[in-house]
Amino acid sequence: MSDFFRLQKRIDELSAIGARDGAVTRLGLTADEQAARDLVASWCAARGAQVRRDAAGNLFARFPGEREGDPVVLVGSHVDSVPEGGRFDGALGVICAVEAIESLLDVGTRFQRPVEVVAWADEEGARFGIGLFGSAAAFDRLPARAAERADRSGVSVAAALRALGEQGDPALARRDPREIAAYLELHIEQGPKLAEANRPLGVVSDIVGIVHGRVTVKGRADHAGATVMTARADAFLGAAEMALALETAARSRENTVGTVGEVGVRPGAKNVVPGECVFTIDVRAPEQSRIDAVMADFRDAVKRVSEARGLETSVDLFNAIPPTPLDATMRDLFARAAASVGVEAPVLPSGAGHDAQNPALAGVPTGMLFIRSTGGSHTPRESAATVDAALASDALAFALRRLAG
Ligand code: GLV
Ligand code: MN
Ligand code: MN
């Protein structure tokens, strides 16, 4: 049985790192993310795990098995957050993974196979734009020239890794997927379905496909008073029209979403017509054809708006993760695991991206269990009850016993 108070204490301890005004800001490949990893490492080392970090900043804590040469069971999530995010996205999955293992060790369980807890680095991609960064590095799915991508202050991924004591080449983190028997991830649902169904746990069937990109619109900076409205090439207004076109393209398709979450204008002064506007796009759907259709509509809009307004626009796509079905055997295992703690867990898809996509796409049998959450996600309002986390840890312990016990 998991230990409610140990869980609660760890949720509080981990969410204090990067906390400000009730929100958590713990961006990937920063000292705060590293401090969170170090804390998780200290919990695991105290229970006899061998702890290491790889070249992408991923933390692995290995609990040995009787058959040390066997493929490992990998279990975890991420400890980075979006800017001004919540306490549970990612973090709760790592805490529950450690709790499940400790609850097994507490009753003298000896693993046959080795079991590793993983805290993937920079899942959110909030700083460099590459979502699922650490797991992509481990499963050889990094986008081209990932090490060269820079944050807003011009610091590259390679430099950020070096500042954390790594070599600077995330591709060195690659692991052979055949050495991994299974990957299991617990995560808050981040949506309302489990709460509405009054169920604490849900089994994930599949994860949406995602396209991430950055659009640069170039116009002409000019005086906000002396330039008549008909003589402007306002980069922001062009970008605004393109963003609305993205909304229309997504709204016209079922279960499809499109978001412009970052916008910046240059030079950025109230009395200057914006000469340049850079904005991000995030497009998601459960089917690739719908993502492709939205992107085709968006590109048409970019061309039309740019021509009409005398702008020059480039679209830089830097990440594309296909829709990812999860393994049927792991789904079944998690359904039985939930039943073992008295929960009839609904099966549901994930509209959020997850590190689980990378092992799944690399052929590793992969499963995810959702924990009921409220208040949405990627905001300090996100919330999950510790009793639900305890149930999830017990269900995970059941699954780990089946796979490695
Ligand atoms: C991760 O939280 C994502 O879905 O962007
Ligand atoms: Mn997450
Ligand atoms: Mn997230």
Side-chain angles (χ1 to χ4, degrees):
M1 282 272 286
S2 57
D3 177 334
F4 178 92
F5 294 101
R6 184 166 57 195
L7 263 175
Q8 185 63 61
K9 183 164 167 283
R10 288 179 174 171
I11 292 168
D12 293 342
E13 250 182 300
L14 188 51
S15 58
I17 301 172
R20 211 165 301 117
D21 299 332
V24 173
T25 299
R26 204 160 54 223
L27 301 193
L29 308 188
T30 62
D32 278 339
E33 191 202 38
Q34 184 86 306
R37 265 193 293 272
D38 289 347
L39 179 61
V40 173
S42 71
W43 301 335
C44 296
R47 297 302 299 252
Q50 300 145 10
V51 174
R52 71 179 178 93
R53 241 173 36 220
D54 71 10
N58 298 313
L59 170 76
F60 295 99
R62 185 180 178 98
F63 294 84
E66 307 267 322
R67 301 190 305 264
E68 254 307 275
D70 274 14
V72 300
V73 176
L74 197 57
V75 54
S77 190
H78 61 97
V79 291
D80 66 311
S81 80
V82 295
E84 299 177 27
R87 294 151 46 100
F88 301 95
D89 176 359
L92 194 61
V94 174
I95 293 169
C96 288
V98 179
E99 185 55 41
I101 291 171
E102 288 209 51
S103 70
L104 292 170
L105 297 177
D106 286 344
V107 294
T109 306
R110 296 173 75 90
F111 294 124
Q112 295 302 305
R113 294 174 183 283
V115 176
E116 286 184 22
V117 171
V118 58
W120 300 111
D122 195 8
E123 188 268 358
E124 301 288 2
R127 182 172 169 201
F128 297 101
I130 307 168
L132 318 183
F133 170 81
S135 54
F139 294 101
D140 199 21
R141 300 189 61 87
L142 278 176
R145 302 170 73 165
E148 293 167 32
R149 289 225 160 255
D151 67 9
R152 284 186 196 159
S153 1
V155 178
S156 67
V157 166
L161 284 169
R162 284 196 292 268
L164 297 176
E166 310 303 341
Q167 290 180 55
D169 180 2
L172 297 173
R174 186 172 173 183
R175 272 183 93 150
D176 184 346
R178 288 170 304 186
E179 290 169 5
I180 300 167
Y183 174 70
L184 302 180
E185 180 166 351
L186 264 53
H187 202 285
I188 58 166
E189 184 205 340
Q190 306 178 276
K193 287 185 186 146
L194 292 176
E196 282 167 8
N198 201 19
R199 303 281 172 82
L201 306 173
V203 177
V204 181
S205 53
D206 52 287
I207 306 174
V208 284
I210 308 175
V211 164
H212 280 152
R214 183 177 289 142
V215 183
T216 304
V217 185
K218 291 201 162 129
R220 193 174 55 253
D222 220 331
H223 196 288
T227 318
V228 297
M229 294 306 281
T230 49
R232 298 180 178 207
D234 185 324
F236 169 73
L237 291 180
E241 262 195 78
M242 294 170 200
L244 290 171
L246 183 70
E247 184 196 23
T248 305
R251 283 181 82 128
S252 65
R253 295 172 175 96
E254 210 186 341
N255 293 331
T256 304
V257 291
T259 304
V260 173
E262 289 176 55
V263 186
V265 293
R266 281 186 53 210
K270 66 183 175 308
N271 55 355
V272 183
V273 176
E276 184 181 287
C277 182
V278 178
F279 66 94
T280 56
I281 55 171
D282 175 312
V283 176
R284 307 181 184 211
E287 282 163 26
Q288 190 62 42
S289 59
R290 277 183 249 167
I291 296 177
D292 294 343
V294 168
M295 288 308 297
D297 283 5
F298 179 68
R299 284 182 189 284
D300 286 349
V302 163
K303 190 161 179 289
R304 176 174 44 76
V305 172
S306 301
E307 277 169 14
R309 289 180 172 272
L311 305 166
E312 259 183 49
T313 306
S314 57
V315 180
D316 173 22
L317 294 188
F318 43 72
N319 219 357
I321 305 153
T324 314
L326 298 184
D327 183 78
T329 308
M330 295 300 129
R331 271 163 61 174
D332 183 54
L333 176 60
F334 265 143
R336 284 186 288 126
S340 78
V341 297
V343 178
E344 200 187 313
V347 175
L348 70 175
S350 175
H354 294 289
D355 287 306
Q357 286 173 276
N358 284 314
L361 291 165
V364 175
T366 294
M368 281 193 82
L369 188 67
F370 272 166
I371 304 168
R372 168 169 56 191
S373 60
T374 54
S377 188
H378 287 180
T379 144
R381 293 192 312 277
E382 83 184 10
S383 184
T386 307
V387 281
D388 290 353
L391 264 184
S393 304
D394 290 341
L396 180 59
F398 175 97
L400 288 175
R401 252 196 328 264
R402 290 294 174 284
L403 291 172

